[in-house]
Amino acid sequence: MAILEGTLQATAAAEQVTTFESGNEMAAMAAAQINYHLMGYFPITPSTEVAQFLDQMKSRGEHDIKLIPADGEHGSAGICYGAAATGARVFNATSANGLMYMLEQLPVQSGTRFPMVMNLVTRAISGPLDIRGDHSDLYFALNTGWVILTARTPQAVYDMNIMALKIAEHSDVRLPVMVAYDGFFTSHQKRKVQYFKNREVVQQFVGECPIDYHFARDPKNPVTIGAHMNGDDLINNHFKQSEAMYKAADVYKQVAAEYAKLSGRNYQILDQYRMDDAEVALFLLNSAAESAKDVVDKLRLQGIKAGVISPNIIRPFPAAEIREALKNVKALLVGERADSYGGHGPNLTNEVKAALKEDSWNQTVVLSRVFGLGGKDFYADDAEAFFQMAIDAMEKGYAEKPFDYYGHVPGNPEKLLKPVIEPQHGDVYRSGLIHVQMNEDTGKLKVKIPPLRALTSKPKRLGSGHGACPGCGIFGGLETFFKGIEGDVVVLYQTGCAYVTTTAYPYTSHKQTMIHNLFQNGAATLSGTLEAFLELKRRGEIEVASDATFVMITGDGGMDIGMGSAIGTALRNHKLIILEYDNEGYMNTGSQMSYSTPIGHMTSTTNVGKMQKGKAYHHKDTAQIMAATNIPYVFTGTEAFPQDLVKKAAKAQWYAKNVGMVYGKILITCPLNWKSEDRFGQTIVEAAVNSNFFPLYEVEQGETNITYDPEAKKKKVPLTDWLKWMGKTKHLLKGENKDLLEGFEAEVERRWQRLKAKHENPHL
């Protein structure tokens, strides 16, 4: 690299430690040293590590930040806003669709002028889903009223997180600040960095938390926050907010100068590399700018006056500084990792052009190229290609193609993939061996199923070749359930392990129609699909069999962030099935805590250490929550009791086709994150059932029926017989955690006794 993290100056006033860390680690380090009051968060790749690192540090007693796991990013933004309204110092981190989900909350925070700091670890926004880094999320933040700093390296992530709070709280600004850095490029790649040895240095730099604003913190001085405004008042409010945003540029310069004296690292408004006499230049955000600097050196040796510009702040947009930097540049290529569809160039391209328009003498030819979407790498060869485009425009005096994409390739019809198997539908999925009939006397369904071996002739719904971890319980559980479903299915998979391991474009493991949508909206999406299907059929616009069953597969915490959508779908009583595979965490993002995680269980955001012992509260009983919506059928099941699960699947299909919505919850293993052996999956879930942690029951037409009673079968085992199989729970078996274990056992027993009471009394 031409410059490694910026030249470290010998003029630093405070003692620093040199280490080798990633951007996410340095964001967490800065937050811990500041010791924010609160962080509301929800895990989403690639920002998830920030909360994980902070939880690890808290378990070791290294900070006092109150870490609050939300039920989704919208909730996390609300938690942060509520805390900021009290005058607390507030921190968050998110990415991509997480930012989009909280987007409506961001102008609320800036419009009411409450400071906070949020790290945006940039990532592609779906659809289609791609979890790698580009700037499509960042560009949606440009109009939220937040000050936005951009960090090219892990060192800059640390430094700008410290500077950001001081800027946010400045009396001339009083706005939330976002620190944006590249997902996986900067967030996960380790680099040489320096941080202050003593956190008191950081705390002295940011200063005392201001208390002279109007906060909701003193009952003797009541305030009203966010009162409704009419247009006359709103334009005044936004005018003052706009003024504060522009003042943030001067405050940034002031804070950066103070920080340079303390750290020896100087962050000008623009990072300019060899721009003093440059005739051709690239304008690039974040990590791509670092990659281009070596190419500048190479071109300089060839006599080409090349340079690179990268802003350290893009809100407010540094128009004056850009005009000054480009006054002698003959051709500039603006490379952007996002597009503004239909805008003849992405956001920053048009802002650069607008800035240059204010200088009537400027003759710079501006080219725009969209590159690096979805984490597509940007190499030195790519930077050379960009420079060559700028050189060609300089020599011609104009750009032949002002706007284009870079790195895209045309499709080749000769390489069109062909199906490996013939499409399977209709009779191939009808065994004729499952019989479901309503008992008119009891008002309950009577189900007859054959021996399970007789159902092995029914094809699997998923083909081989998925990418799940060894021992993953998802597909064994799903396939057992689907053995009880006759005929065609239309399946929607929310984001999660079951989705990402079965679809990797251009391949799919799904033999029948599969739709994907995000965690928070899967149930609503499938309800729309179902109702449109029925309406098209009613109008005679499609001719298909009427026995297709619509199933939504959720898991990996999908019934946290997606609970609202699921309850809405249940209350409307659409004729579909929601099936949740419960692996007790957000496993697809790296084993973070979900609300289905039991108390005391260790995850990557409920670590075990001297200050905490795993998750601090009990798990959510989603089956009971969904039963409270009065849908016709709710059940629990597991592959360890296959006949029970197949029977319930057959019932679920009958109710979904004839009455309304069904919800089912199956417990499945996750050996990787449960820290258990692959071969013991069935043993573990069987022990979960026999310990009464995961009881098998159904709620049919509002009446509860326990379908397997370990006590009656004389199979009841202590809770510890389940916990001992998993590394994530072995600490609960230690003497020092006796009280925690006893509390867990008491809650399991309480829930079991309540369930038995409902079983014995149909009116409960």
Side-chain angles (χ1 to χ4, degrees):
M1 297 297 294
I3 293 182
L4 289 177
E5 316 298 356
T7 305
L8 300 177
Q9 306 295 328
T11 57
E15 184 179 1
Q16 299 180 62
V17 175
T18 300
T19 185
F20 199 71
E21 304 289 3
S22 68
N24 282 346
E25 288 170 307
M26 296 314 294
M29 171 67 79
Q33 289 187 322
I34 291 169
N35 203 28
Y36 282 90
H37 293 104
L38 182 143
M39 178 186 188
Y41 70 93
F42 188 81
I44 181 169
T45 306
S47 68
T48 305
E49 285 188 332
V50 178
Q52 290 179 186
F53 291 135
L54 283 169
D55 189 82
Q56 292 170 10
M57 296 165 82
K58 185 164 187 176
S59 72
R60 299 191 294 264
E62 295 175 13
H63 65 78
D64 300 320
I65 303 171
K66 178 69 174 180
L67 302 174
I68 303 179
D71 59 343
E73 290 88 357
H74 195 274
S76 78
I79 290 168
C80 289
Y81 177 63
T86 71
R89 281 179 165 165
V90 182
F91 181 76
N92 199 354
T94 194
S95 300
N97 292 82
L99 178 85
M100 297 296 286
Y101 192 30
M102 66 170 67
L103 196 62
E104 72 158 6
Q105 283 288 294
L106 303 188
V108 174
Q109 181 114 20
S110 59
T112 50
R113 306 290 296 280
F114 289 110
M116 70 166 282
V117 174
M118 180 165 71
N119 284 259
L120 178 63
V121 187
T122 61
R123 188 191 104 182
I125 287 177
S126 66
L129 183 69
D130 189 305
I131 66 166
R132 289 159 294 188
D134 65 28
H135 294 158
S136 53
D137 52 1
L138 172 61
Y139 282 19
F140 275 96
L142 294 175
N143 290 333
T144 59
W146 287 50
V147 176
I148 302 177
L149 312 183
T150 54
R152 293 182 304 283
T153 65
Q155 183 68 68
V157 171
Y158 174 74
D159 296 333
M160 288 195 172
N161 265 277
I162 295 171
M163 292 164 57
L165 182 61
K166 195 173 180 71
I167 295 166
E169 292 180 345
H170 194 283
S171 59
D172 288 342
V173 180
R174 283 181 52 201
L175 289 170
V177 177
M178 197 176 293
V179 178
Y181 56 97
D182 290 351
F184 291 108
F185 297 111
T186 306
S187 64
H188 284 63
Q189 293 177 2
K190 290 179 179 286
R191 299 277 291 276
K192 181 180 178 183
V193 293
Q194 289 193 327
Y195 66 91
F196 295 108
K197 182 176 182 180
N198 298 313
R199 73 176 187 175
E200 289 79 9
V201 172
V202 174
Q203 293 174 359
Q204 288 171 7
F205 176 78
V206 298
E208 293 292 329
C209 185
I211 59 173
D212 55 342
Y213 303 154
H214 295 295
F215 295 128
R217 66 190 305 169
D218 185 358
K220 293 179 291 185
N221 294 289
V223 297
T224 297
I225 294 171
H228 171 263
M229 287 183 176
N230 60 27
D232 292 339
D233 293 319
L234 190 66
I235 196 167
N236 291 335
N237 183 88
H238 287 357
F239 170 71
K240 297 298 291 184
Q241 183 180 346
S242 176
E243 281 194 319
M245 177 63 78
Y246 290 116
K247 288 179 181 177
D250 292 331
V251 172
Y252 175 89
K253 294 175 186 177
Q254 173 188 326
V255 171
E258 294 174 11
Y259 192 75
K261 292 178 182 178
L262 183 70
S263 67
R265 293 180 291 277
N266 192 6
Y267 295 92
Q268 301 286 343
I269 289 280
L270 296 179
D271 178 78
Q272 301 187 54
Y273 187 69
R274 307 193 76 168
M275 285 296 299
D276 290 346
D277 62 344
E279 294 180 340
V280 290
L282 303 185
F283 184 100
L284 298 166
L285 285 188
N286 285 354
S287 60
E290 295 298 290
S291 300
K293 289 176 180 178
D294 286 335
V295 177
V296 169
D297 295 340
K298 179 179 177 181
L299 293 175
R300 287 278 175 168
L301 293 175
Q302 299 172 16
I304 298 170
K305 296 179 179 179
V308 175
I309 301 175
S310 184
N312 285 317
I313 180 171
I314 57 173
R315 281 294 180 271
F317 191 69
E321 288 80 3
I322 287 171
R323 281 193 294 273
E324 177 64 23
L326 297 178
K327 63 184 180 182
N328 296 316
V329 172
K330 296 176 181 177
L332 174 76
L333 188 145
V334 182
E336 303 193 60
R337 289 187 184 268
D339 193 4
S340 177
Y341 303 109
H344 301 287
N347 297 67
L348 297 190
T349 292
N350 289 318
E351 294 188 18
V352 169
K353 288 181 177 180
L356 295 180
K357 189 68 175 178
E358 296 297 312
D359 180 2
S360 60
W361 297 100
N362 187 278
Q363 299 297 312
T364 304
V365 178
V366 178
L367 301 84
S368 176
R369 293 295 183 269
V370 174
F371 76 100
L373 301 186
K376 187 175 172 63
D377 287 317
F378 183 72
Y379 297 112
D381 288 348
D382 301 313
E384 284 194 57
F386 277 6
F387 272 115
Q388 189 58 56
M389 294 177 199
I391 292 168
D392 291 345
M394 176 180 68
E395 292 173 347
K396 293 175 181 177
Y398 66 94
E400 284 191 354
K401 200 164 189 179
F403 168 68
D404 198 3
Y405 273 57
Y406 172 81
H408 58 295
V409 294
N412 184 348
E414 295 180 1
K415 294 184 178 180
L416 182 68
L417 290 178
K418 295 179 174 58
V420 176
I421 60 173
E422 289 294 319
Q424 295 178 312
H425 63 90
D427 289 341
V428 72
Y429 286 113
R430 292 192 189 98
S431 68
L433 301 174
I434 297 173
H435 301 283
V436 183
Q437 186 176 6
M438 175 62 73
N439 185 320
E440 300 297 336
D441 295 330
T442 64
K444 305 290 177 60
L445 293 180
K446 184 178 180 180
V447 180
K448 289 184 178 180
I449 63 170
L452 291 179
R453 64 179 178 274
L455 294 174
T456 57
S457 61
K458 185 186 289 190
K460 290 184 177 182
R461 303 283 178 167
L462 290 158
S464 58
H466 62 70
C469 301
C472 174
I474 292 174
F475 299 105
L478 292 185
E479 289 291 4
T480 303
F481 170 80
F482 278 125
K483 290 300 182 191
I485 302 293
E486 298 277 82
D488 294 326
V489 296
V490 175
V491 185
L492 182 143
Y493 281 72
Q494 286 182 321
T495 310
C497 289
Y499 160 66
V500 298
T501 60
T502 56
T503 59
Y505 183 83
Y507 303 102
T508 180
S509 300
H510 298 274
K511 296 182 179 179
Q512 294 204 287
T513 295
M514 191 284 293
I515 303 169
H516 166 253
N517 205 352
L518 306 170
F519 278 123
Q520 58 267 34
N521 218 21
T525 302
L526 189 62
S527 69
T529 302
L530 166 64
E531 298 302 334
F533 175 92
L534 295 175
E535 182 62 14
L536 289 166
K537 185 172 173 52
R538 185 187 71 81
R539 296 187 185 191
E541 296 179 28
I542 56 174
E543 293 184 10
V544 293
S546 59
D547 67 344
T549 303
F550 290 74
V551 185
M552 187 191 89
I553 305 298
T554 181
D556 294 288
M559 289 299 282
D560 290 345
I561 189 172
M563 179 60 82
S565 176
I567 288 177
T569 302
L571 295 175
R572 295 190 301 270
N573 202 29
H574 298 279
K575 292 181 177 179
L576 56 85
I577 301 169
I578 294 179
L579 182 67
E580 176 188 7
Y581 61 84
D582 180 11
N583 50 17
E584 300 183 344
Y586 302 142
M587 300 313 185
N588 65 306
T589 49
S591 185
Q592 295 80 32
M593 184 217 84
S594 84
Y595 289 81
S596 71
T597 305
I599 191 170
H601 286 222
M602 180 176 66
T603 71
S604 61
T605 51
T606 55
N607 283 278
V608 175
K610 65 179 182 180
M611 301 302 293
Q612 62 186 39
K613 303 296 181 183
K615 189 185 173 199
Y617 48 92
H618 292 293
H619 59 289
K620 178 169 66 178
D621 194 338
T622 49
Q624 288 295 307
I625 292 171
M626 296 308 294
T629 65
N630 296 315
I631 55 178
Y633 191 56
V634 172
F635 70 89
T636 63
T638 174
E639 151 186 36
F641 295 83
Q643 288 182 300
D644 176 80
L645 181 55
V646 171
K647 275 189 176 182
K648 288 171 178 174
K651 278 190 175 183
Q653 182 175 34
W654 190 94
Y655 276 113
K657 290 169 68 66
N658 295 284
V659 184
M661 203 192 94
V662 171
Y663 165 82
K665 183 187 187 85
I666 59 174
L667 182 67
I668 61 96
T669 53
C670 179
L672 176 67
N673 294 312
W674 287 12
K675 299 175 174 58
S676 59
E677 291 191 47
D678 304 348
R679 59 197 174 105
F680 292 137
Q682 184 165 318
T683 301
I684 295 170
V685 294
E686 185 175 356
V689 172
N690 283 328
S691 67
N692 288 336
F693 166 76
F694 191 83
L696 300 182
Y697 67 96
E698 60 190 1
V699 183
E700 186 174 358
Q701 301 287 9
E703 295 184 11
T704 299
N705 174 43
I706 295 174
T707 58
Y708 173 80
D709 184 344
E711 295 171 347
K713 298 284 187 182
K714 301 189 183 305
K715 295 289 186 71
K716 174 73 167 64
V717 298
L719 194 65
T720 52
D721 278 17
W722 169 52
L723 300 175
K724 70 182 182 181
W725 291 100
M726 300 173 289
K728 69 167 183 166
T729 53
K730 285 189 175 178
H731 63 283
L732 293 174
L733 308 182
K734 296 180 179 179
E736 63 264 28
N737 295 319
K738 179 182 177 183
D739 291 345
L740 182 58
L741 175 60
E742 289 178 348
F744 189 8
E745 291 171 331
E747 178 63 15
V748 168
E749 180 64 17
R750 185 187 72 84
R751 295 190 188 192
W752 171 248
Q753 292 301 329
R754 285 173 62 89
L755 190 66
K756 284 179 66 177
K758 291 182 178 183
H759 170 80
E760 292 162 2
N761 189 336
H763 297 295
L764 291 180

